[in-house]
Structures are given as structure tokens and as C-alpha cells.
């Protein structure tokens, strides 16, 4: 029981991070029908941006209060990663809009390779350790088993929840969110109503990147180390989460992220940690056989 | 005669190698209802979309309120005050009726949103009952009402309607045409209307154009065209 509770906590923490990344995949897919394969590397890049911000703030500017530093790091990573993704869309995807469907996909793969290599060159190939943050633990004994809940985990889950609430509000209640949903359903009609479609697509990339930046910052804090290759595995798992939840569905991305996180953690706790990466993909395959459009996805039906 | 609001001169539009419009000249004056009739495939909807800049005219010019909009992006054309209820209505199926109306008001901000929504609900009380329902769940007639209301939400200077009567019961067609006539009469709204239902359209319109194979074949006052034998034969009695 105690072990189960412990794994549940770990799984939800990991799942939160996957969920935040998955939203970026699902939003971009929803609005332009493209799988943004560079998104995982945007996430990795954001973790580096966060690290640089953290070091600059604490070493150069002497910010001593950890919560304050953390909030500034979060904001800085969000802004800069948003700018990066904005530029990436302008350079690599927008010129290819209207060309055949595979072209932006190839471009995204190229961008993914560029980003990881770029970070490798400018930051070096070695792991970058990050200073331990939020190291306090809460220990509770449940059924003879010490369940630890770290401040990190509390922080990760609560930041994620707060952000998702804000994000939900943005999509459902603001004019930008409405424009986004309109473009997702019918870009031509949205333009006829005066919506600047290109700008809306740019904003989608910026928002997706900002959520990835939060994930990147939390990832850096959680694991205490960042590496240029860190985009691949979490990126792929978040993509899996988006497909699993039903690509194009925002709730699906979050639920998919949580499930993938939980499956991964439980599998490594109860079966084998060597095969922990196999479990999420196996579940994905089985789900897609029976529910081809994912948990909450819409079946592809042409409008009449 | 009042001022020209919209003027098309020698407009030519192509889809790849297929020429859809061959040098169309059309004028819509302030305060007028102008109808464009023609058979399937004559280029009526293409003409409407060309005015909105999607697809773009390959040749010729389009002027709106004295400004050349031939190369203006679609969303900016909308912001200048041209609202369109396009072919197939294009209701946002996964948005509520109210959100669809909000999208219609995207151009003019939210300053008089509440007031405008009330106005739409007064014109189409059915939409009020359905306000929270998803657009995709509405009937064809309700979707048409919503498409027109959404176009009106931007307080346009020119309302363009593509086949507002398509697939609707006669009673609803009458309701919609009455609404258009009323908006024109009471508020001086300029309307450019594409119709296959020539009978209704010609009775409603002050002036009309007949489009054949992408070119204007005839023009004149609506009632006058209605009397012409060749129009009667081709568009009014042909199907009967």
C-alpha cells in the first residue's frame, strides 16, 4: 500500500511534465495538422534556458530568495522559449504552408536535429548538473513503508495544475483562444471573419512553447541534470501521450500525459525498470487498435 | 444615384489552369440589394470569395469604398467592413451559437457585443433558444440564420450572402428574405446576394447580374430581369 502510494506520487509528477509537453504537440496538430517533431527539443532547449537563467540570477544578480528566483526563472524560460518557437515557426514551417503535407514534417525533423546539435555545440555534450532546489521532504509511514513526498513534487504538481487552469481559461474564454479554436475548425472561415490566421498560428506555437518551458524548468528541478539529448525521450513520450489521449484534444493530452507517466512509473516499480519505456508504447499500441482516434479524439469525419 | 461601395473591373480568377471568372465587371452601390444569379458552376461563389481575397483575382481590380482591395489579405478585407456568409454556411460546429456570434464580432471588438447579440436574437428568436447549443447540432435553417447573424455581428458596410436559401424549407426561405429586405429598408444595409433561387432573388434585389460561364451575360433591375423570357426559360421555368 505504501509502495503503491509512493509510485502514485511519482507517476503523477512525471505525468504532469509529459502532459505539459503533450499540449504543445496537440495544439499544433489541431491548428495546422502537423506533428511538430522539434517540440521535444524545444522542451530540452527550455531546460537549458532555465538553467542559464537560474545561474545568472543567483550568481550574477545575487537573488537569494529561492521562490522568487524560481518564479523569475520560470517566466524567463517561458518568454525566451516562446520567442524561439515563434522564430522556428517563421523560419521552418510557415514558408512551407500550402505545400504538400510531408514537407513541414521533414522540416520539423530537421529543426529537431538542429536544436539538439546547436545545444550540444554551445553547451557541450556533458550532463549539466543543476543545483539542488526544493530539497525538503515530507515523510509519512504507511503500512510500514516510508512514503516520501518531496517539496519538488508538490511544486511540480501545483505549478502544473495552476498553469493548466490558466491555459484552459485562455482557450475557452479569451478572444485569442476562440480565434484558435475557430482556426482549428475552419481557417478559411476564420479569415473571413477578420481573424489573422498567421498570427493565430504563431501564437499557438508561442503558447505551446511556453508550456514546454514550464515542463523544461520543472524537469530541470526534478532531475537536477540537463543534457542536450534530453529532448528525445520525454518528447517522444509526450507525443505518445498526445496520440494516446486523442491528438487535437487538449484534455486528452493532459490525461494521456498522466496515464503515460503513471504506467511508466508503476511498470518500473513492479516489473522491471529496464523495460519501463516499453510499457507506455505497448499500451499506446493496444489502445490505438481498439480506439484509433485515442481516448478523447474525434474520429476523422469529413464535414458535409 | 448613391455612391458606389464595391466595384469590380475585369476580374479574372483561376484555379490552377481552369479559368473560373473571365473579366467580370460588377458595381454595388450604397444601400442597394444586388443579386447575382446563375447556374451551378457559373462562378458565383468564386466571385464572392474573390471579393474576400481567397482566391485572389489574377487580373482586374476590386475597389471597396474607394480603396483598392485586390491584394489586401482576407482578414483585413473583413476588417474593412465586408462580411460574408459563405457557401455551405461554415458554422463552427464545435462552438456554441453564442461563441459563433462572438467570432462574428471579432472584428469590431466587444464594445457593443451584448447589444448586438440582443439585436440578433430579436431578428432570429430561434437562435436565442439555442444560444448554448453547439453549432453542429443546429438544423440547416438554424445554421443559415446563425451564419447571417454571425456576418451581421461585425456591423458590416457590405453583407455578402452566398445562397442563403439553399436546402431550406420555403417558410424559412421567406423568413430569411424578409429579414434581408427589412435590414436593407430600415438600416440601409448594402447586400450582395448570390442565389440559384432566381425567383426570390430577383424579386428582392434592386439590381441583378446574370453570370454564365464566369462572365456577366446580363444585368438590369431585378423586376425587369424577372420579366425577360430568356431568364424565365433558363432560371425560373427550366427545372419545372
Amino acid at each position: 500500500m505504501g509502495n503503491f502510494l509512493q509510485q502514485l506520487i511519482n507517476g503523477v509528477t512525471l505525468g504532469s511534465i509529459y502532459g505539459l509537453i503533450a499540449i504543445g504537440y496537440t495544439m499544433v496538430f489541431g491548428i495546422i495538422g502537423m506533428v511538430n517533431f522539434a517540440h521535444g527539443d524545444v522542451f530540452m532547449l527550455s531546460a537549458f534556458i532555465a538553467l542559464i537563467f537560474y545561474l545568472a540570477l543567483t550568481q550574477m544578480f545575487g537573488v537569494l530568495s529561492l521562490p522568487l528566483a524560481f518564479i523569475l526563472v520560470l517566466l524567463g524560460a517561458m518568454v525566451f522559449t516562446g520567442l524561439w518557437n515563434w522564430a522556428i515557426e517563421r523560419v521552418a514551417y510557415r514558408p512551407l504552408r500550402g505545400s504538400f503535407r510531408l514537407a513541414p514534417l521533414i522540416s520539423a525533423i530537421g529543426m529537431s536535429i538542429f536544436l539538439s546539435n546547436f545545444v550540444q555545440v554551445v553547451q557541450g555534450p556533458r550532463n549539466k548538473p543543476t543545483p539542488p532546489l526544493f530539497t525538503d521532504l515530507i515523510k509519512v509511514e504507511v503500512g510500514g513503508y516510508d512514503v516520501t513526498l518531496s517539496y519538488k513534487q508538490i511544486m511540480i504538481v501545483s505549478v502544473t495544475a495552476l498553469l493548466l487552469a490558466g491555459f484552459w481559461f485562455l482557450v475557452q474564454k479569451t478572444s485569442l483562444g476562440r480565434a484558435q479554436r475557430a482556426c482549428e475548425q475552419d481557417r478559411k472561415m476564420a479569415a473571413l471573419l477578420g481573424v489573422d490566421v498567421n498570427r493565430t498560428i504563431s501564437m499557438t506555437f508561442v503558447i505551446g512553447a511556453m508550456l514546454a518551458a514550464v515542463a523544461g524548468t520543472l524537469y530541470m528541478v526534478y532531475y537536477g541534470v540537463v543534457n542536450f539529448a534530453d529532448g528525445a525521450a520525454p518528447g517522444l513520450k509526450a507525443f505518445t501521450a498526445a496520440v494516446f489521449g486523442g491528438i487535437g484534444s487538449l484534455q486528452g493530452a493532459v490525461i494521456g500525459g498522466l496515464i503515460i507517466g503513471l504506467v511508466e512509473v508503476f511498470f518500473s516499480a513492479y516489473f522491471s525498470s529496464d523495460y519501463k519505456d516499453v510499457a507506455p508504447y505497448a499500451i499506446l499500441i493496444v489502445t490505438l487498435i481498439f480506439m484509433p482516434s485515442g481516448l478523447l479524439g474525434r474520429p476523422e469525419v469529413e464535414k458535409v | 444615384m448613391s455612391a458606389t461601395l464595391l466595384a469590380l473591373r475585369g476580374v479574372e480568377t483561376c484555379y490552377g489552369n481552369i479559368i473560373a471568372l473571365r473579366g467580370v465587371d460588377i458595381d454595388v452601390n450604397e444601400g442597394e440589394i444586388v443579386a447575382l444569379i446563375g447556374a451551378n458552376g457559373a462562378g458565383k461563389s468564386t466571385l464572392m470569395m474573390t471579393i474576400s481575397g481567397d482566391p485572389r483575382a489574377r487580373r482586374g481590380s476590386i475597389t471597396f469604398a474607394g480603396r483598392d482591395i485586390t491584394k489586401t489579405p482576407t482578414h483585413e478585407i473583413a476588417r474593412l467592413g465586408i462580411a460574408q456568409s459563405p457557401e455551405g454556411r461554415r458554422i463552427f460546429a464545435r462552438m456554441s451559437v453564442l461563441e459563433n456570434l462572438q467570432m462574428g464580432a471579432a472584428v469590431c471588438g466587444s464594445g457593443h457585443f451584448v447589444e448586438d447579440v440582443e439585436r440578433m436574437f430579436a431578428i432570429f428568436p430561434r437562435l436565442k433558444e439555442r444560444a448554448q447549443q453547439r453549432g453542429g447540432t443546429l438544423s440547416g435553417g438554424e445554421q443559415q440564420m446563425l451564419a447571417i447573424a454571425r456576418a451581421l455581428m461585425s456591423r458590416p458596410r457590405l453583407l455578402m450572402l452566398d445562397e442563403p436559401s439553399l436546402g431550406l424549407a420555403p417558410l424559412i426561405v421567406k423568413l430569411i428574405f424578409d429579414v434581408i429586405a427589412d435590414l436593407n429598408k430600415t438600416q440601409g444595409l448594402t447586400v450582395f446576394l448570390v442565389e440559384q433561387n432566381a425567383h426570390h432573388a430577383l424579386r428582392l434585389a434592386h439590381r441583378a447580374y446574370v453570370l454564365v460561364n464566369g462572365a456577366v451575360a446580363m444585368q438590369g433591375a431585378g423586376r425587369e430581369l424577372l420579366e425577360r423570357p430568356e431568364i424565365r426559360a433558363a432560371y425560373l421555368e427550366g427545372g419545372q
Side-chain angles (χ1 to χ4, degrees):
Chain A
M1 182 62 208
N3 190 21
F4 178 84
L5 203 61
Q6 180 68 65
Q7 301 313 328
L8 192 68
I9 292 166
N10 296 348
V12 168
T13 312
L14 188 62
S16 302
I17 293 175
Y18 288 158
L20 285 172
I21 310 172
I23 288 176
Y25 280 108
T26 220
M27 273 174 93
V28 165
F29 184 86
I31 202 159
I32 54 173
M34 174 195 127
V35 178
N36 181 7
F37 277 118
H39 194 61
D41 295 282
V42 170
F43 155 78
M44 172 275 296
L45 183 75
S46 77
F48 273 90
I49 294 175
L51 176 62
I52 292 167
F53 254 88
Y54 178 79
L55 293 176
L57 280 173
T58 49
Q59 312 291 319
M60 285 165 64
F61 298 102
V63 177
L64 290 176
S65 146
L66 183 58
L68 176 67
F70 177 72
I71 287 168
L72 290 176
V73 166
L74 209 53
L75 290 176
M78 284 169 85
V79 169
F80 275 82
T81 313
L83 284 174
W84 264 91
N85 218 23
W86 178 83
I88 288 171
E89 193 265 339
R90 286 303 284 261
V91 171
Y93 309 146
R94 187 179 295 182
L96 295 171
R97 205 166 298 148
S99 96
F100 68 108
R101 272 180 80 93
L102 282 179
L105 206 71
I106 302 297
S107 186
I109 293 172
M111 192 43 83
S112 158
I113 295 169
F114 164 76
L115 286 174
S116 58
N117 280 284
F118 170 72
V119 174
Q120 182 183 10
V121 169
V122 296
Q123 295 294 325
R126 288 207 192 90
N127 280 344
K128 296 259 170 206
T130 65
L133 301 170
F134 304 102
T135 44
D136 293 325
L137 299 170
I138 299 172
K139 274 206 175 94
V140 186
E141 204 186 290
V142 179
Y145 188 95
D146 271 341
V147 177
T148 55
L149 177 63
S150 68
Y151 276 29
K152 268 185 213 172
Q153 290 174 318
I154 297 174
M155 192 229 13
I156 288 172
V157 174
S158 43
V159 167
T160 304
L162 209 68
L163 237 103
L164 289 180
F167 176 69
W168 181 87
F169 181 83
L170 175 83
V171 169
Q172 293 298 326
K173 301 287 173 193
T174 66
S175 61
L176 174 64
R178 257 196 312 278
Q180 247 161 11
R181 284 182 293 141
C183 287
E184 192 192 305
Q185 293 179 45
D186 189 342
R187 269 195 263 167
K188 208 167 185 168
M189 187 65 229
L192 284 178
L193 294 172
V195 172
D196 187 340
V197 174
N198 277 333
R199 192 182 148 262
T200 309
I201 292 173
S202 283
M203 286 313 292
T204 304
F205 274 84
V206 169
I207 293 168
M210 285 179 156
L211 293 177
V214 176
T217 311
L218 297 176
Y219 183 87
M220 175 197 84
V221 171
Y222 194 46
Y223 289 104
V225 58
V226 291
N227 183 281
F228 76 96
D230 276 352
L236 199 56
K237 278 189 200 129
F239 173 61
T240 307
V243 174
F244 181 68
I247 195 142
S249 160
L250 298 175
Q251 301 98 307
V254 177
I255 294 170
L258 283 174
I259 292 177
I260 297 289
L262 286 167
V263 166
E264 188 182 323
V265 166
F266 274 103
F267 194 85
S268 49
Y270 288 101
F271 299 102
S272 151
S273 61
D274 290 341
Y275 287 94
K276 75 181 166 79
D277 288 347
V278 173
Y281 300 114
I283 289 216
L284 173 78
I285 292 167
V286 174
T287 310
L288 289 185
I289 288 171
F290 294 104
M291 303 171 86
S293 46
L295 292 178
L296 300 178
R298 290 178 300 274
E300 282 285 327
V301 182
E302 280 300 311
K303 262 177 279 181
V304 194
Chain B
M1 202 73 230
S2 49
T4 307
L5 187 61
L6 178 75
L8 279 72
R9 291 291 171 267
V11 168
E12 217 179 279
T13 306
C14 307
Y15 292 113
N17 291 324
I18 301 156
I19 301 176
L21 297 175
R22 308 160 188 273
V24 175
D25 291 342
I26 279 179
D27 285 292
V28 178
N29 298 319
E30 207 115 30
E32 256 186 337
I33 300 181
V34 174
L36 180 70
I37 61 172
N40 267 335
K44 305 185 300 292
S45 299
T46 303
L47 178 67
M48 236 175 217
M49 289 306 287
T50 303
I51 295 170
S52 285
D54 181 14
R56 259 182 214 295
R58 186 173 288 189
R59 288 212 185 83
S61 73
I62 304 170
T63 322
F64 178 69
R67 187 180 153 166
D68 185 4
I69 58 165
T70 321
K71 294 197 164 60
T72 311
T74 300
H75 67 272
E76 279 173 29
I77 293 176
R79 289 173 189 180
L80 290 173
I82 299 183
Q84 182 172 172
S85 158
E87 185 180 28
R89 297 159 197 148
R90 298 197 143 184
I91 294 302
F92 297 115
R94 280 173 271 124
M95 283 186 174
S96 71
V97 167
L98 206 60
E99 282 179 320
N100 268 280
L101 293 176
Q102 279 177 310
M103 283 311 299
V107 166
C108 59
S110 50
H112 29 68
F113 178 73
V114 177
E115 175 194 335
D116 284 358
V117 167
E118 284 309 317
R119 207 157 55 89
M120 292 310 132
F121 285 167
I123 298 173
F124 301 113
R126 195 83 74 84
L127 293 182
K128 188 170 188 171
E129 296 164 29
R130 303 262 185 266
Q132 300 305 329
Q133 220 168 298
R134 283 179 159 213
T137 65
L138 301 184
S139 72
E142 289 162 349
Q143 287 197 6
Q144 189 61 60
M145 294 176 202
L146 179 55
I148 296 174
R150 181 178 62 182
L152 286 170
M153 284 301 289
S154 64
R155 298 192 165 186
R157 291 184 68 184
L158 172 65
L159 176 67
M160 300 204 294
L161 303 172
D162 195 340
E163 303 248 19
S165 74
L166 189 71
L168 301 186
L171 215 61
I172 307 218
V173 175
K174 186 177 179 314
L175 168 83
I176 284 174
F177 276 72
D178 285 348
V179 166
I180 298 167
D182 187 59
L183 284 169
N184 174 260
K185 211 171 283 167
T186 57
Q187 297 173 25
L189 180 70
T190 311
V191 181
F192 185 42
L193 176 79
V194 160
E195 260 300 338
Q196 256 196 73
N197 188 339
H199 189 71
H200 268 105
L202 291 178
R203 283 211 310 198
L204 175 75
H206 301 116
R207 287 189 309 111
Y209 293 84
V210 180
L211 203 63
V212 177
N213 276 329
V216 173
M218 249 182 280
Q219 54 177 301
R223 302 251 167 200
E224 183 193 308
L225 283 180
L226 200 55
E227 301 303 320
R228 291 225 204 156
E230 59 267 42
I231 298 276
R232 298 198 71 95
Y235 302 108
L236 299 174
E237 286 149 9
Q240 289 167 14

